[in-house]
């Protein structure tokens, strides 16, 4: 087989060259878009390069139609003697691709280069924090677009600023939505050891001492006597009521007695929620339809373990996440991943054992700043 390469400004012109040189029996083996160097490396000109060939050893007694059928079965290249309609469709596709490329600012004046060093820091920072690769890739593309629009001139500080703005806008529709159930009863759910009881104490102290809200506790953690005693200690210190419940009817009765409070926190049992039966027990004891449900997760846990806990609670309407133990790890990206993938806002973050100081109610801008090198203690 005789094989040659041809270059032309458009595909129809390339096909015309092939036919003129190799004849009507030629077949198109490969095609690609290339760029011819321009003046001083700029103003590159787009060309179409095709590789075509013709088999002069093919039996001459066969008709043209038979030859075409054999070639299609054996080689499956694109025949050059396609209909005019196919050629027109191909030209139209190239035209649409060209229009898409031209939409990117300065795409024709900036050559394709390695990822700019000035943009590497925020990308590295998100990777260090453990943010999902999907979000990191989106940020890389966004930064490259901004860099091009700036004519390839941007400092590392500017890249950080762009990244904070991008991440904040990415999270804002989730973090700042206002379509949550407005109920005074807040149910704290989560596995054992994540710090639910301590977190409840921090929240109650803030409500009572700083905001002057009438606050109360309901303990449904009847498996751990120590948890009830701990909550009772906090209730005595804050001088707020505490109700301990054991059965479904007692929960509703306690809620009825405390309905005059501004906010009531319900502390549930901390158990191994890998076993589905414990989630079923919660569904039996708590009337989820009349309360906000906060799922408490530890940032010191593996992300896969967080996902497993969330999936176990899939039958329960979770309204917000609470992340604890932020001070026990340098990697906080998992909370961004959970917020993004499960579309649940973050109500609070705890970063220590002190009550009530070590508590953050994060804004979207704060979350973005935490991912990109700043940390908020309040």
């Amino acid at each position: 087989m005789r094989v040659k390469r041809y270059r032309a400004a458009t595909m129809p012109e390339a096909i015309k060259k092939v036919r003129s040189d190799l004849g009507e029996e030629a077949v198109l083996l490969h095609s690609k878009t290339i760029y011819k160097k321009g003046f001083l490396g700029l103003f590159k000109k787009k060309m179409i390069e095709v590789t075509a060939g013709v088999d002069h050893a093919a039996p001459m007694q066969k008709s043209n139609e038979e030859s075409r059928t054999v070639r299609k079965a054996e080689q499956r290249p694109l025949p050059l003697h396609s209909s005019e309609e196919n050629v027109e469709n191909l030209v139209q596709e190239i035209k649409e691709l060209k229009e898409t490329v031209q939409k990117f600012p300065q795409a024709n004046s900036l050559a394709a280069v390695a990822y700019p060093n000035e943009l590497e820091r925020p990308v590295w920072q998100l990777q260090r924090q453990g943010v999902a690769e999907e979000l990191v890739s989106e940020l890389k593309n966004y930064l490259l677009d901004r860099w091009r629009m700036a004519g390839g001139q941007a400092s590392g500080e500017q890249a950080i600023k762009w990244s904070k703005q991008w991440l904040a806008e990415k999270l804002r529709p989730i973090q700042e939505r206002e379509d949550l159930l407005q109920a005074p009863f807040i149910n704290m759910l989560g596995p054992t050891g994540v710090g639910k009881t301590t977190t409840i104490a921090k929240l109650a102290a803030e409500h009572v001492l700083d905001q002057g809200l009438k606050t109360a506790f309901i303990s449904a953690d009847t498996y751990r006597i120590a948890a009830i005693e701990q909550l009772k200690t906090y209730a005595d210190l804050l001088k707020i009521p505490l109700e301990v419940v054991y059965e479904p009817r007692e929960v509703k009765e306690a809620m009825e007695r405390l309905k005059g409070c501004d906010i009531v926190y319900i502390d549930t049992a901390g158990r191994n929620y890998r076993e589905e039966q414990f989630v079923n027990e919660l569904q039996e004891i708590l009337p989820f339809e009349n309360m906000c449900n906060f799922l408490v997760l530890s940032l010191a846990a593996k992300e896969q373990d967080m996902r497993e806990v969330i999936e176990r609670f899939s039958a329960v309407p979770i309204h917000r996440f609470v992340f604890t133990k932020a001070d026990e790890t340098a990697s906080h990206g998992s909370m961004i991943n959970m917020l993004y993938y499960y579309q649940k806002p973050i109500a609070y973050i705890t970063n220590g054992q002190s009550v009530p100081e070590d508590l953050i109610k994060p804004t979207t801008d704060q979350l973005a700043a935490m991912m990109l090198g700043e940390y908020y203690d309040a």
Side-chain angles (χ1 to χ4, degrees):
M1 172 178 280
R2 182 185 174 194
V3 178
K4 292 184 67 177
R5 289 180 179 174
Y6 302 85
R7 292 181 179 180
T10 65
M11 181 61 77
E13 290 180 15
I15 292 174
K16 185 177 180 180
K17 285 186 177 182
V18 174
R19 284 177 173 171
S20 176
D21 189 27
L22 299 181
E24 293 293 329
E25 294 302 314
V27 292
L28 183 64
L29 302 175
H30 180 67
S31 67
K32 65 179 180 179
T33 300
I34 62 174
Y35 291 88
K36 185 178 180 181
K37 290 184 178 179
F39 179 67
L40 296 179
L42 300 177
F43 308 107
K44 293 186 176 182
K45 183 179 180 181
K46 187 174 72 174
M47 303 284 289
I48 303 297
E49 181 181 274
V50 300
T51 303
V54 61
D55 188 359
H56 292 296
M60 299 304 296
Q61 66 271 21
K62 288 187 177 182
S63 67
N64 290 340
E65 185 62 34
E66 289 174 332
S67 298
R68 288 195 293 269
T69 302
V70 171
R71 283 200 307 276
K72 184 176 181 181
E74 294 179 350
Q75 301 171 328
R76 297 191 181 278
L78 177 65
L80 285 178
H81 25 65
S82 303
S83 67
E84 292 299 325
E85 181 181 354
N86 289 338
V87 174
E88 291 177 2
N89 290 339
L90 185 57
V91 172
Q92 180 61 30
E93 290 178 5
I94 295 173
K95 181 181 178 181
E96 292 175 357
L97 178 60
K98 181 178 180 181
E99 292 174 351
T100 300
V101 172
Q102 289 176 339
K103 290 180 181 179
F104 291 94
Q106 302 191 24
N108 295 324
S109 61
L110 290 176
V113 295
Y115 201 73
N117 292 334
E118 297 86 350
L119 309 183
E120 288 288 355
R121 180 184 165 192
V123 172
W124 172 83
Q125 185 66 25
L126 289 194
Q127 291 173 332
R128 177 176 174 272
Q129 288 287 345
V131 174
E133 188 59 36
E134 176 185 340
L135 289 173
V136 174
S137 295
E138 284 190 38
L139 175 63
K140 289 182 69 174
N141 293 334
Y142 170 80
L143 289 177
L144 192 56
D145 287 344
R146 291 296 300 264
W147 182 80
R148 284 171 172 162
M149 286 190 291
Q153 300 294 322
S155 64
E157 290 73 18
Q158 183 63 59
I160 290 289
K161 182 178 179 180
W162 287 341
S163 299
K164 290 178 182 178
Q165 293 171 347
W166 175 84
L167 186 57
E169 290 306 311
K170 192 76 175 177
L171 303 179
R172 202 177 308 281
I174 310 170
Q175 180 65 15
E176 298 185 6
R177 72 185 192 196
E178 298 294 338
D179 60 340
L180 299 177
L181 175 65
Q182 298 298 316
F185 297 98
I186 307 297
N187 182 29
M188 306 292 278
L189 304 168
T192 184
V194 296
K196 292 192 306 298
T197 304
T198 303
T199 300
I200 289 174
K202 292 179 181 180
L203 292 169
E206 182 181 73
H207 297 324
V208 173
L209 302 177
D210 296 339
Q211 302 170 8
L213 298 178
K214 188 175 181 181
T215 308
F217 295 144
I218 295 177
S219 176
D221 189 356
T222 57
Y223 292 95
R224 295 188 305 146
I225 300 301
I228 297 177
E229 291 301 318
Q230 183 182 10
L231 203 60
K232 185 177 185 301
T233 299
Y234 288 128
D236 290 341
L237 290 173
L238 296 171
K239 295 180 172 53
I240 61 177
L242 165 67
E243 299 275 350
V244 180
V245 300
Y246 298 90
E247 298 178 4
R249 63 175 181 82
E250 294 179 341
V251 176
K252 294 181 179 179
E253 292 171 357
M255 291 173 66
E256 181 65 23
R257 287 192 293 271
L258 299 173
K259 66 180 181 180
C261 293
D262 297 311
I263 190 163
V264 178
Y265 284 102
I266 303 173
D267 189 17
T268 59
R271 303 291 296 276
N272 182 357
Y273 287 103
R274 289 181 178 178
E275 299 183 31
E276 190 174 351
Q277 69 184 58
F278 298 130
V279 178
N280 294 335
E281 289 178 6
L282 278 177
Q283 290 178 299
E284 292 176 1
I285 196 172
L286 295 174
F288 290 119
E289 71 279 358
N290 191 33
M291 59 181 63
C292 288
N293 301 310
F294 290 1
L295 181 60
V296 185
L297 300 168
S298 169
L299 284 171
K302 296 178 181 178
E303 183 169 321
Q304 184 56 43
D305 292 337
M306 291 187 192
R307 291 178 182 272
E308 186 174 348
V309 171
I310 294 171
E311 294 302 325
R312 288 295 182 187
F313 278 95
S314 60
V316 176
I318 300 302
H319 298 104
R320 288 187 181 240
F321 291 133
V322 174
F323 290 99
T324 61
K325 304 186 180 182
D327 57 311
E328 296 183 16
T329 177
S331 176
H332 304 110
S334 55
M335 67 179 176
I336 299 299
N337 300 341
M338 299 302 101
L339 177 152
Y340 181 70
Y341 286 127
Y342 293 98
Q343 299 288 294
K344 306 293 183 185
I346 299 174
Y348 296 97
I349 302 170
T350 70
N351 58 340
Q353 295 296 316
S354 297
V355 179
E357 291 84 2
D358 297 332
L359 183 70
I360 304 169
K361 186 176 183 179
T363 65
T364 304
D365 290 334
Q366 285 175 330
L367 290 173
M370 288 174 66
M371 294 303 103
L372 289 156
E374 296 181 22
Y375 195 82
Y376 282 80
D377 292 323

